Amino acid sequence: MGALDPILGELSISHAFWGVIVSSTFTFLMKLYAARRRFLRLKERNLPMPPWSPLFGHLLYVASIMSNLPRDCHPHYMAGEIRRAMPELGPLFYLDLWPFGPQMLIVSSPDAAYQITQKHSLPKYHALRRFLYPLTHGFDLLTMEGNYWKEWRAIFSPGFNGSHLMTLVPGLVEDTEAFCDILHERARKGVLAPLHEATTNLAMDVIGRVALDTQLNTQRGQNPLAKALRNQIPWLNFGNDMDLLARFNPFRPLICWRNKRTMDQYLARELDTRYRTKSMTLVNGAERGRSITDLAIDTYLNRSTGTQRLDETFMKFAINQIILFMFAGHDTTSSTICYALYLLSTHPLALAELRKEHDTVLGTNTSETATLLRQSPYLLNQLPYTLAVIKETLRLFPAASSTRSGEPGTHVLAGGQRFPTEGFMVWSLHQALHRDPTLWNMPDAFRPERWLPDRADEFNRPLRDAWRPFEFGPRNCLGQELAVLEIKVVLVMLVRTFNVIVAYEEWDRLQGHHDGKPHNMTVAGERAYQVGMQHPSEGFPCRIQVLTS
Ligand code: HEM
Ligand SMILES: *[C@@H]1O[C@H](CO)[C@@H](O)[C@H](O)[C@H]1NC(C)=O
Ligand SMILES: *[C@@H]1O[C@H](CO)[C@@H](O)[C@H](O)[C@H]1NC(C)=O
Ligand SMILES: *[C@@H]1O[C@H](CO)[C@@H](O)[C@H](O)[C@H]1NC(C)=O
Ligand SMILES: *[C@@H]1O[C@H](CO)[C@@H](O)[C@H](O)[C@H]1NC(C)=O
């Protein structure tokens, strides 16, 4: 018997092995059948979609579209390119990327976007929660739902109120001064380098300051919180990641656990300090700029009558909100700053007009700008052209989009058809909406004037619902006023002191990129196309020059 044991063992192992293969193949085929059948139903009802195959869904079609795009470009271009290639599809269509991606309903008309975010706000796309889990363990405003979400949004929103943010301008100015120092240094050394990392550090510092009244100093040094957050980001995924090595990396849970612990402990310490110093300032009656978290603490303590200390619940939610603010606010704002500088430096007339507005409102002596902003932050509300530049930048390069989960019984009505949403990722695609030639005059042109009421007749007046970089409805961006304020401060303090010289050609030459390598390098003729988390390709390589007056 003894001699047979290993053979029997092997037999049962190979049985188990084949068992697993057969049953998982069977499961896969069942799922494939269900997925494709769902699309067959849509086709039978004549709902719009690109050429579809019962076996491959839209995988082959999308592969052919993607082969004309740079490998690293952001997926939101995919749907935009499909619309360009097949205008007859209209602004709503279905895409079947199963098993490599979700089955989706693409939405890129103002009215349909209104239906899913305002008229009836669909829940956030379920996979977002999985995506953000390593950062917030599910306790974040971006993905929470229902009363839970409502309650915590109400606790945190007072700090994001525009008039409150004005009290935080001195801090923003100080962080932007550090950024200007970095640009001076670059100008002196004459370096050609991507700018995106520097703007990201600036945005991180700003969030640390406004959210927690702490100086993270990521621009000047290393900060453990920012570092752990950065280390965590590459590990986020939607669960259908093609990079199997990253997805099943056995060290992933350990790395994620460590980064999360570092972030949590850092913020717990900060909150502790903040709360103690807050009680002290209250005792002394001294007034100073109060952070978003200070205001959240007020609201929270007022609600839970009797509590005089921060309990575990508040700590947990506050920590995870701050991590979310850092995540949701740093890359978006920083990319928008890069794109504003990019568009201004490639549009000299707009740049001249912007400088003129700053001279008129803030005086011509730029050494006094910082002091002036500290004293009179409300001057920032008197810069219509600056605001127009920011709006136009966000139109051309929206830094985010909105993904929702469809629901049984919820349909989108468009063009006399009913579009079912159940089982689909419903994607409000700002990129396609913002460049739709039926909605915008000269959609690909950078024309800030279109946002100025007295000069907009040269164009169609923009439709309000067609510009949604921050999305509308109850789940709109909580940080939008902060983002716009921060970009204003940066533009005001930068554009009259520096010239930013876009240097993609030189950069590509130095990197050994040339036509067709690594791929067709432009999207619709645009070299600075959006990649990854929607930031500019190659991190926006440029040179900085100091203006001599
Ligand atoms: C240019 C900069 C920014 C853009 C374009 C942007 C865009 C957006 C968009 C489109 C959404 C809705 C997402 C969805 O429906 O799934 C959103 C949500 C959100 N954003 Fe922003 N954002 C920016 C900056 C910021 C900043 C600076 C912060 C905070 C410091 C922030 C905090 C949030 C939060 C908390 C939510 C979730 C709100 C909720 O669901 O209640 N964002 N943002
Ligand atoms: C912001 O605060 C001002 C005054 O402090 C108030 O009038 C306004 O209603 C607030 N706005 C929001 C959106 O809460
Ligand atoms: C908290 O309650 C106090 C006293 O009732 C009130 O003065 C204060 O405005 C409240 N703060 C907030 C943020 O609701
Ligand atoms: C500009 O402002 C600075 C600081 O207030 C001052 O020292 C300088 O003399 C001013 N320059 C001009 C040309 O007025
Ligand atoms: C690159 O893409 C553009 C359109 O985005 C196209 O006109 C051009 O022919 C493409 N070039 C190559 C080399 O494929």
Side-chain angles (χ1 to χ4, degrees), residues 445-515:
F446 176 67
R447 302 301 292 268
E449 306 85 277
R450 72 173 95 228
W451 297 102
L452 303 173
D454 49 329
R455 286 164 60 190
D457 343 329
E458 302 165 38
F459 306 89
N460 318 329
R461 276 298 265 291
L463 297 168
R464 189 179 173 276
D465 277 357
W467 184 80
R468 355 182 30 108
F470 299 111
E471 208 33 276
F472 292 128
R475 303 305 297 255
N476 67 353
C477 175
L478 184 57
Q480 53 186 296
E481 292 187 68
L482 171 61
V484 171
L485 186 70
E486 180 180 347
I487 301 166
K488 271 189 197 165
V489 171
V490 169
L491 290 180
V492 161
M493 290 181 61
L494 233 70
V495 294
R496 290 182 301 160
T497 308
F498 302 101
N499 267 331
V500 176
I501 300 155
V502 181
Y504 272 106
E505 269 179 40
E506 191 184 350
W507 180 261
D508 283 342
R509 230 178 12 256
L510 287 173
Q511 303 293 312
H513 299 155
H514 39 79
D515 242 22

Side-chain angles (χ1 to χ4, degrees), residues 103-167:
Q103 295 189 304
M104 8 181 179
L105 169 59
I106 304 284
V107 163
S108 61
S109 83
D111 180 61
Y114 164 81
Q115 291 179 51
I116 60 162
T117 60
Q118 290 165 273
K119 187 164 165 239
H120 171 70
S121 178
L122 283 172
K124 293 304 187 82
Y125 182 50
H126 56 80
L128 265 180
R129 189 160 307 125
R130 185 213 303 248
F131 179 77
L132 282 181
Y133 186 84
L135 289 177
T136 63
H137 284 186
F139 299 109
D140 62 84
L141 284 176
L142 194 79
T143 61
M144 286 193 294
E145 295 289 346
N147 285 337
Y148 229 29
W149 160 79
K150 205 169 180 174
E151 200 178 301
W152 286 98
R153 174 140 174 155
I155 289 173
F156 276 91
S157 58
F160 286 97
N161 180 320
S163 50
H164 175 251
L165 290 175
M166 280 298 173
T167 65

Side-chain angles (χ1 to χ4, degrees), residues 266-317:
Y266 185 100
L267 286 168
R269 268 196 313 274
E270 282 288 330
L271 275 170
D272 228 37
T273 329
R274 281 301 308 140
Y275 187 53
R276 263 186 269 122
T277 54
K278 184 176 100 74
S279 325
M280 267 153 41
T281 53
L282 286 185
V283 171
N284 299 339
E287 246 335 304
R288 57 164 161 162
R290 307 195 55 219
S291 72
I292 288 165
T293 306
D294 287 335
L295 265 61
I297 289 173
D298 286 358
T299 316
Y300 184 74
L301 290 183
N302 266 19
R303 289 186 167 200
S304 22
T305 39
T307 348
Q308 270 313 309
R309 48 176 211 90
L310 296 183
D311 55 16
E312 294 280 304
T313 313
F314 183 83
M315 290 294 270
K316 183 173 75 183
F317 279 91

Side-chain angles (χ1 to χ4, degrees), residues 33-226:
Y33 175 73
R36 298 294 184 254
R37 196 182 54 175
R38 177 185 290 149
F39 264 70
L40 197 62
R41 293 264 159 79
L42 299 174
K43 258 183 90 69
E44 282 164 6
R45 295 180 43 196
N46 271 327
L47 286 160
M49 65 177 77
W52 178 81
S53 125
L55 189 55
F56 295 107
H58 288 123
L59 292 171
L60 298 179
Y61 181 76
V62 164
S64 78
I65 290 278
M66 294 305 271
S67 69
N68 291 322
L69 294 172
R71 231 170 299 168
D72 58 347
C73 79
H74 191 276
H76 70 185
Y77 286 118
M78 167 187 73
E81 288 294 301
I82 292 174
R83 275 203 74 186
R84 267 179 213 266
M86 302 185 65
E88 69 276 17
L89 281 179
L92 275 80
F93 57 90
Y94 289 92
L95 270 187
D96 182 4
L97 299 186
W98 202 87
F100 296 114
Q103 295 189 304
M104 8 181 179
L105 169 59
I106 304 284
V107 163
S108 61
S109 83
D111 180 61
Y114 164 81
Q115 291 179 51
I116 60 162
T117 60
Q118 290 165 273
K119 187 164 165 239
H120 171 70
S121 178
L122 283 172
K124 293 304 187 82
Y125 182 50
H126 56 80
L128 265 180
R129 189 160 307 125
R130 185 213 303 248
F131 179 77
L132 282 181
Y133 186 84
L135 289 177
T136 63
H137 284 186
F139 299 109
D140 62 84
L141 284 176
L142 194 79
T143 61
M144 286 193 294
E145 295 289 346
N147 285 337
Y148 229 29
W149 160 79
K150 205 169 180 174
E151 200 178 301
W152 286 98
R153 174 140 174 155
I155 289 173
F156 276 91
S157 58
F160 286 97
N161 180 320
S163 50
H164 175 251
L165 290 175
M166 280 298 173
T167 65
L168 302 175
V169 165
L172 261 72
V173 169
E174 195 174 320
D175 287 333
T176 310
E177 280 176 317
F179 182 63
C180 288
D181 289 347
I182 289 168
L183 293 189
H184 272 293
E185 215 169 287
R186 278 203 186 189
R188 197 166 39 75
K189 292 187 187 150
V191 288
L192 162 62
L195 191 64
H196 186 256
E197 197 181 328
T199 51
T200 305
N201 289 338
L202 166 65
M204 286 257 201
D205 279 354
V206 166
I207 293 169
R209 206 183 270 271
V210 301
L212 206 54
D213 191 24
T214 186
Q215 278 170 266
L216 297 178
N217 267 325
T218 55
Q219 298 193 84
R220 281 296 175 202
Q222 281 273 358
N223 173 279
L225 172 63

